[in-house]
RNA sequence: GUGGGUGUAGCUCAGAGGUAGAGCGCCAGGUUGUGGCCCUGGUGGUCGUGGGUUCAAGUCCCAUCACUCACCCCA
């Protein structure tokens, strides 16, 4: 048989209920923080990502699904959402009506990496992006929104890692300092890091190779190079978080693999997902809007990994399918036709109904109703038909009542409503 | 891209040269109109795929594919 593509996965019904739950909470929660949804497409010009994420990042160098379009241009399945949201912000001049835009988007991303636990080639993110606010209190506010979102989903405890990457002005001397400190010791570094030394020295900081760690430990931290503005910004972010009772740790090795970040960078981690510990991450990207052809505009955002979040929730509780409120058990052709009418009418009124389309014994029907964990069973057979009634059985209590066939739909709805209030 | 582990029933797994198994699930009966518990029966597999060794291969050998975990990196 034809199987699904490597690194991709089906989200089966039981798991999908968890996804619906996560996304619903996200919409409600972000909404109460003043965010509105935006839905950019999953396909973009390859150049968008090369220019935003950075030419020498792992994502752009080896992980993008890129293929030729019909006009000689290159198209890419988006590896992340921020670039698309920024593009939309600029293209539709959203800043013209109001430079401050708080947007969220939910959807799939694509990266051609080797799959493993918590890492898929199509994965899903919930992104939030804020444009037009430079205040460090926004950084703290956004991180608080993210953590309270996890709180609503009851997935804590989580670790909050925080760092400042500075701005282009203070990062330049810092990069030079790293390069200067390490290039004379390059023979002690791994081959990847030797390459990074030239292309992207910041990435040396979070290399996991022991030898590189040893060398990096002796280099100065970004914190020592922050300019006055960046320093003040970072301090306010930290004090703002502390004021809201957020526990975090400053992590000088937190760099993140996208070039556009400036100043605040953060990552939310868990110990419960094997090697893939990051469940959300983000940061400030004050230069990106201008870099992509828009006005000079501060911005900050984050991404939550929905796949990892769903796994975390599923590890704590078993999912279940939605229970039918009423299951129809009809015996015989005449009873079935009547049940069919009632079942359709109830479904159309928003009641969760299940009706069996095979001819089976009442025992078999009851067994099925039980397995589906139906709240009620409506039994209709010759006996009921002759008395012009139907038998409504409450499964948990085994209590049964006769319901007149005339006005049955309304009577059943009244009964369900009174039950749900108890 | 590199390394380790695993592929046998829908699911979890046993079988280690000699007739393909268990538990759970599913279907039915025990109750000619009543679920769960219990009992009985039934359904269900090219043993991942291809080749080799052998009288005989889930079982040994080779190849290959898939899945999975880890490295790298990230959500």
């Amino acid at each position: 048989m034809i199987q699904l593509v490597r690194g991709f996965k089906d989200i089966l019904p039981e798991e999908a209920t968890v996804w619906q739950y996560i996304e619903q909470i996200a919409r409600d929660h972000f909404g109460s923080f003043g965010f509105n949804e935006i839905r950019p497409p999953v396909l973009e010009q390859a150049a968008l990502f090369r220019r935003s994420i950075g030419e020498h990042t792992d994502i752009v160098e080896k992980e993008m699904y890129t293929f030729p379009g019909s006009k000689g241009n290159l198209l890419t399945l988006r590896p992340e959402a921020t670039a698309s949201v920024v593009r939309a912000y600029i293209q539709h001049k959203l800043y013209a009506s109001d430079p401050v835009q708080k947007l969220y988007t939910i959807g799939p991303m694509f990266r051609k990496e080797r799959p493993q636990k918590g890492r898929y080639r199509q994965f899903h993110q919930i992104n939030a992006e804020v444009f037009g606010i430079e205040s460090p209190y926004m950084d703290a506010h956004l991180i608080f929104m993210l953590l309270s979102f996890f709180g609503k989903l009851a997935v804590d405890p989580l670790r909050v890692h925080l760092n400042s990457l500075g701005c282009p002005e203070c990062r330049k001397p810092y990069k030079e300092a790293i390069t200067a400190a390490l290039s004379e010791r390059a023979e002690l570094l791994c081959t990847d890091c030797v390459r990074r030394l030239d292309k992207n020295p910041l990435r040396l900081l979070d290399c996991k190779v022991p030898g590189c760690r040893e060398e990096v430990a002796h280099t100065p931290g970004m914190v020592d190079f922050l300019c006055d503005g960046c320093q003040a910004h970072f301090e306010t972010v930290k004090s703002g978080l502390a004021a809201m009772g957020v526990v975090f740790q400053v992590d000088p090795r937190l760099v993140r693999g996208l070039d556009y970040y400036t100043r605040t960078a953060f990552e939310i981690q868990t110990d419960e997902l094997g090697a893939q510990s990051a469940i959300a991450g983000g940061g400030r990207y004050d230069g990106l809007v201008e870099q992509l052809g828009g006005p000079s505009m501060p911005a900050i955002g984050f991404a939550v990994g929905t796949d990892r979040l769903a796994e975390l929730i599923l590890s704590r509780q078993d999912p279940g399918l939605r229970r039918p409120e009423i299951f129809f058990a009809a015996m015989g052709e005449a009873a079935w036709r009547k049940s069919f009418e009632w079942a359709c009418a109830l479904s159309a009124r928003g009641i969760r109904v299940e009706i069996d389309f095979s001819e089976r014994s009442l025992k078999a029907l009851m067994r099925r109703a039980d397995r589906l964990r139906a709240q009620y069973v409506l039994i209709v057979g010759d006996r009921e038909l002759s008395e012009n009634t139907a038998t409504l059985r409450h499964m948990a209590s085994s209590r049964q009542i006769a319901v007149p066939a005339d006005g049955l739909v309304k009577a059943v709805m009244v009964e369900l409503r009174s039950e749900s209030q108890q």
Side-chain angles (χ1 to χ4, degrees):
Chain A
M1 69 155 286
I2 297 172
Q3 299 207 4
L4 88 180
V5 177
R6 179 188 187 81
F8 288 63
K9 71 166 187 170
D10 296 311
I11 299 163
L12 298 176
E14 293 202 352
E15 192 178 347
T17 61
V18 172
W19 284 65
Q20 288 180 350
Y21 170 69
I22 291 171
E23 291 176 355
Q24 188 55 50
I25 299 274
R27 290 174 196 285
D28 293 347
H29 188 67
F30 294 2
S32 49
F33 280 77
F35 283 68
N36 292 298
E37 184 173 14
I38 183 169
R39 302 195 189 198
V42 297
L43 195 68
E44 298 272 6
Q45 303 281 355
L48 174 65
F49 302 111
R50 286 206 305 270
R51 279 173 52 187
S52 58
I53 298 170
E55 205 71 57
H56 299 293
T57 56
D58 286 329
I59 294 175
V60 170
E61 278 184 344
K62 57 185 190 191
E63 295 173 1
M64 296 204 304
Y65 282 95
T66 297
F67 51 91
S70 53
K71 295 177 180 167
N73 53 348
L74 288 174
L75 303 177
T76 296
L77 285 171
R78 63 178 183 192
E80 59 117 27
T82 302
S84 294
V85 176
V86 171
R87 196 220 77 242
Y89 177 78
I90 297 169
Q91 182 174 338
H92 304 288
K93 295 187 166 56
L94 298 184
Y95 50 83
S97 58
D98 184 352
V100 175
Q101 297 280 339
K102 291 185 277 185
L103 305 170
Y104 73 87
T105 190
I106 297 176
M109 312 295 155
F110 305 84
R111 291 184 200 170
K112 201 169 176 178
E113 304 174 89
R114 190 76 168 260
Q116 72 186 73
K117 185 176 176 64
R119 196 174 72 189
Y120 308 97
R121 289 182 170 183
Q122 175 180 330
F123 60 102
H124 302 75
Q125 290 185 340
I126 302 170
N127 282 258
E129 317 285 352
V130 178
F131 296 94
I133 300 178
E134 192 175 11
S135 166
Y137 289 105
M138 186 66 237
D139 305 33
H141 189 64
L142 193 70
I143 292 171
F144 176 79
M145 176 174 98
L146 177 58
L147 291 172
S148 51
F149 169 60
F150 288 135
K152 276 194 172 173
L153 294 169
V155 292
D156 35 353
L158 299 166
R159 290 191 311 273
V160 180
H161 287 240
L162 187 69
N163 194 19
S164 176
L165 303 176
C167 59
E169 283 72 44
C170 50
R171 203 179 329 182
K172 189 157 172 268
Y174 179 55
K175 281 187 182 176
E176 286 167 359
I178 296 178
T179 312
L182 292 175
S183 48
E184 50 199 50
R185 303 174 70 84
E187 68 278 6
L188 297 170
L189 301 173
C190 70
T191 53
D192 280 336
C193 280
V194 171
R195 210 166 44 88
R196 287 171 181 145
L197 210 47
D198 182 40
K199 306 278 191 190
N200 195 349
L202 276 190
R203 293 231 55 83
L204 276 155
L205 295 183
D206 67 348
C207 184
K208 310 294 190 297
V209 177
C212 300
R213 283 193 163 195
E214 175 72 15
E215 292 306 312
V216 166
H218 301 313
T219 62
M222 181 71 225
V223 189
D224 303 323
F225 282 75
L226 291 179
C227 62
D228 291 348
C230 290
Q231 182 69 46
H233 187 98
F234 193 34
E235 290 307 321
T236 306
V237 173
K238 288 190 285 187
S239 62
L241 284 172
M244 287 182 287
V246 173
V247 177
F248 60 91
Q249 45 188 295
V250 174
D251 180 357
R253 297 166 49 82
L254 179 63
V255 173
R256 310 188 51 73
L258 298 83
D259 284 352
Y260 54 65
Y261 285 117
T262 56
R263 294 189 165 174
T264 312
F266 57 92
E267 205 165 279
I268 314 298
Q269 300 181 359
T270 172
D271 295 324
E272 298 172 42
L273 289 176
Q276 304 308 315
S277 56
I279 191 172
R284 187 161 272 286
Y285 46 96
D286 289 339
L288 185 58
V289 177
E290 186 171 22
Q291 188 187 320
L292 289 177
S296 173
M297 189 66 71
I300 182 170
F302 66 71
V304 177
T306 315
D307 306 77
R308 292 177 185 177
L309 187 52
E311 277 189 47
L312 212 51
I313 291 171
L314 285 166
S315 71
R316 287 153 201 243
Q317 56 185 278
D318 285 334
L321 295 173
R322 306 184 70 175
R323 306 171 54 175
E325 291 169 282
I326 183 157
F327 181 95
F328 278 80
M331 287 163 288
E333 176 73 12
W336 201 87
R337 294 179 87 89
K338 199 68 207 165
S339 298
F340 181 71
E341 269 176 45
W342 286 331
C344 290
L346 283 163
S347 287
R349 283 168 173 73
I351 304 295
R352 285 197 302 279
V353 171
E354 195 66 39
I355 181 164
D356 195 289
F357 283 82
S358 59
E359 274 196 40
R360 301 209 268 182
S361 68
L362 181 60
K363 175 178 182 149
L365 292 168
M366 291 299 292
R367 195 158 43 217
R368 181 164 169 75
D370 183 62
R371 207 192 44 182
L372 296 172
R373 296 172 41 225
Q375 288 173 37
Y376 287 89
V377 175
L378 194 79
I379 301 167
V380 189
D382 294 339
R383 192 184 297 165
E384 283 80 7
L385 288 179
S386 67
E387 294 168 3
N388 207 29
T389 63
T391 300
L392 185 64
R393 178 182 180 85
H394 183 250
M395 292 297 272
S397 64
S398 300
R399 176 172 52 88
Q400 294 191 171
I401 56 173
V403 180
D406 295 328
L408 179 131
V409 167
K410 193 161 285 180
V412 166
M413 290 182 70
V414 167
E415 172 69 20
L416 286 176
R417 202 164 296 144
S418 72
E419 166 71 14
S420 67
Q421 279 169 359
Q422 285 169 11

